[in-house]
Amino acid sequence: MKILASQENFSFDRLLRPYKPVVIRRNDIVKVLDYARRNCSLRDYLLIRLAVKLGLRTGELSALQIEDLNFKEGTIRVLDSKKKRKVTLLCDPLTMELLKQLIGDRKHGPVFISHNPACKKPAKLSVISIWWIIRRIVRKAGVEDFKPCYFRYYFAAEWMRSGKSLVNYLKSPATTITLTLKGKKISI
């Protein structure tokens, strides 16, 4: 009681606001991908591309290791950042080719490394660094009110809209995506 009484200026308005659904427009996604492809480094473009094409979270992008890439099968093993287990995802050939270019002759370690010249050895990009890189690219592409997690929602909605099952997409159905389509909440 003393804590609440001492915070006279506290307002519950923010907590009581009605839920506002997120609308993700296909042309915004295309605009961001196109901007990243034309104006960003290969690393930054791949961050966006993997978030859009595979629905990866920033934590999953940060944790991605070279050893997790299987170029023969066209798959990527991802540490599901919510459930803390590995999930194998199918990946398109162009993205796999771009990943080959990005890692070059490196055999192990993180896929996404910092370009900071102050680092003596390559360091993996942190989750927050990836979050800010994606936010910067999205803003420069001219898309407002967009969070990196919206790429995951877009991915799931597009996959389902195409009539495909996410269970067939996942080699190991250990990850979940919860979204609302036409007023119905769906966990997949």
Side-chain angles (χ1 to χ4, degrees):
M1 287 275 222
K2 289 180 182 178
I3 295 172
L4 288 176
S6 67
Q7 297 179 357
E8 293 174 14
N9 294 333
F10 182 77
S11 170
F12 286 98
D13 290 346
R14 197 176 111 214
L15 299 174
L16 300 176
R17 281 187 219 146
Y19 171 74
K20 182 181 176 187
V22 174
V23 177
I24 305 164
R25 294 176 183 85
R26 182 178 286 134
N27 60 343
D28 286 343
I29 300 294
V30 170
K31 194 188 305 186
V32 171
L33 270 171
D34 189 50
Y35 177 87
R37 184 180 51 79
R38 288 187 287 115
N39 300 300
C40 297
S41 67
L42 179 59
R43 180 199 71 184
D44 293 357
Y45 172 60
L46 274 168
L47 288 170
I48 298 287
R49 187 173 176 89
L50 286 170
V52 171
K53 298 285 187 181
L54 298 180
L56 298 185
R57 300 176 178 104
T58 54
E60 294 163 347
L61 290 165
S62 177
L64 193 60
Q65 298 289 309
I66 293 170
E67 298 86 353
D68 296 329
L69 306 175
N70 184 331
F71 293 106
K72 287 182 182 177
E73 292 185 19
T75 60
I76 297 176
R77 284 182 41 89
V78 177
L79 177 63
D80 183 329
S81 60
K82 294 281 183 176
K83 296 191 176 180
K84 304 295 183 210
R85 30 182 177 185
K86 289 279 187 170
V87 179
T88 303
L89 305 173
L90 298 171
C91 191
D92 65 283
L94 176 59
T95 302
M96 293 304 286
E97 187 58 39
L98 293 172
L99 283 165
K100 269 186 195 176
Q101 290 176 29
L102 179 70
I103 62 173
D105 58 357
R106 293 186 292 138
K107 300 289 184 225
H108 55 83
V111 171
F112 297 106
I113 56 175
S114 173
H115 290 204
N116 185 350
C119 295
K120 293 181 181 176
K121 64 178 186 174
K124 83 172 189 171
L125 281 177
S126 68
V127 173
I128 196 70
S129 294
I130 292 171
W131 193 89
W132 280 110
I133 288 167
I134 291 173
R135 286 288 296 226
R136 178 181 46 83
I137 293 168
V138 166
R139 284 189 180 144
K140 285 187 174 186
V143 179
E144 297 297 323
D145 295 326
F146 195 93
K147 297 177 185 174
C149 60
Y150 293 174
F151 288 124
R152 185 172 179 83
Y153 307 155
Y154 173 81
F155 160 78
E158 285 298 303
W159 193 265
M160 290 179 66
R161 209 175 277 133
S162 71
K164 300 174 186 170
S165 166
L166 278 173
V167 175
N168 293 337
Y169 164 74
L170 299 168
K171 288 262 187 162
S172 168
T175 190
T176 58
I177 299 173
T178 302
L179 65 149
T180 304
L181 290 175
K182 296 184 180 179
K184 295 180 183 175
K185 191 172 184 178
I186 303 167
S187 288
I188 38 181

